[in-house]
Amino acid sequence: MKLQTATRLALYAVMALSREPERQFSTAELAERFDVSEHHLAKVLRTLGRAELVEAVRGAGGGFRFSANPKRVTLLEVIALFEDITSPPGPKEPGVRTHEGKALGAVLAEIDDVARATLGSITLATLHRSATRR
Amino acid sequence: MAAADPSPPIQVRKAKPQDLAVVVALDAAVTGVKKPDYWRDRLRQFAGRDPERLFLVAEAEGQVVGFILGEIRAWEFGSPPSGWIFAINVAKGARLDGVGTRLFEAICAHFTAAGVDRVRTMIAKDDPLVMRFFRSQGMVAGPFIELEKVLP
């Protein structure tokens, strides 16, 4: 599975922030850690902020901190803010109404179904624990 | 400010025939169907002396607040013997108190003592609550995929 860059950055950001929820991270610090531009990351953080997963802290030493419950937030919830990984091809896409298109579509829908269930079952807390176990 | 009430201590023990009513009620609270005959059979089969079958209940303040069932299945699908969990249930009011974790750890300890090195289960894809619980316990996708076909 390939996620868009913004989606992966959002997942990295919520993982980093939820791992140390009492800490504030500046955009610059996170951008350096993930080797991306501050501008790109700021857009991602704004979207996460609108979803109330992170909050901006103003003033000296300000930045962003995690503001949700890591035991409740799943990977699917974060991904869904940036892209729809399980959208079927639109009816106007070439070939989808053919025998071949329908057969392939059924297989892809099956894969999407498993992906959605898997991503919806893994919370940030579980992800942190699994990284510790390894 | 007063501290929050601590969760009551949880005891895990083997199920007894007297637990039938509460097990039926816990199951019915989730499924919406009371199945006393089914659970009577499960208690008879899994709470007896068979060392490879286990039916455990969790008690808090003397009340049964959850249960778990499992067994050791040998060479199913060509796999070496492994522990299987096929039912877990925690009363709604007792969730997030570690009851499920205690039940899971207890049955895993039993499986380990019996000599198997992994535990498996099967979960409905549209049951995120249960899937999140098992994921939180470290369970991941295994080497098998369940397949089915609607029969004519």
Side-chain angles (χ1 to χ4, degrees), chain A residues 91-113:
Chain A
K92 289 185 179 171
E93 285 192 37
V96 293
R97 291 176 187 277
T98 64
H99 166 82
E100 293 79 4
K102 287 176 184 168
L104 184 61
V107 175
L108 297 179
E110 193 179 318
I111 293 167
D112 284 350
D113 210 23

Side-chain angles (χ1 to χ4, degrees), chain B residues 61-76:
Chain B
E61 297 178 316
Q63 300 291 315
V64 172
V65 292
F67 64 85
I68 193 166
L69 271 87
E71 66 181 342
I72 293 171
R73 293 183 180 174
W75 303 107
E76 204 162 50

Side-chain angles (χ1 to χ4, degrees), chain A residues 15-130:
Chain A
M15 284 172 66
L17 269 59
S18 63
R19 195 169 170 215
E20 298 177 80
E22 70 292 340
R23 240 194 93 189
Q24 291 153 211
F25 289 78
S26 69
T27 309
E29 183 183 359
L30 290 171
E32 188 183 346
R33 182 190 292 206
F34 303 131
D35 197 20
V36 290
S37 75
E38 280 188 53
H39 176 71
H40 195 169
L41 191 62
K43 275 175 68 176
V44 167
L45 289 167
R46 275 199 296 277
T47 303
L48 294 173
R50 280 196 295 274
E52 299 182 348
L53 295 178
V54 304
E55 63 184 4
V57 182
R58 311 239 176 251
F64 286 88
R65 70 176 165 220
F66 192 69
S67 59
N69 182 346
K71 289 183 176 175
R72 297 280 184 207
V73 179
T74 67
L75 298 184
L76 187 64
E77 280 174 65
V78 179
I79 292 169
L81 296 172
F82 295 87
E83 61 184 289
D84 182 358
I85 58 162
T86 58
S87 59
K92 289 185 179 171
E93 285 192 37
V96 293
R97 291 176 187 277
T98 64
H99 166 82
E100 293 79 4
K102 287 176 184 168
L104 184 61
V107 175
L108 297 179
E110 193 179 318
I111 293 167
D112 284 350
D113 210 23
V114 174
R116 188 169 35 235
T118 303
L119 294 167
S121 74
I122 301 173
T123 65
L124 296 176
T126 294
L127 208 58
H128 289 311
R129 265 200 301 274
S130 70

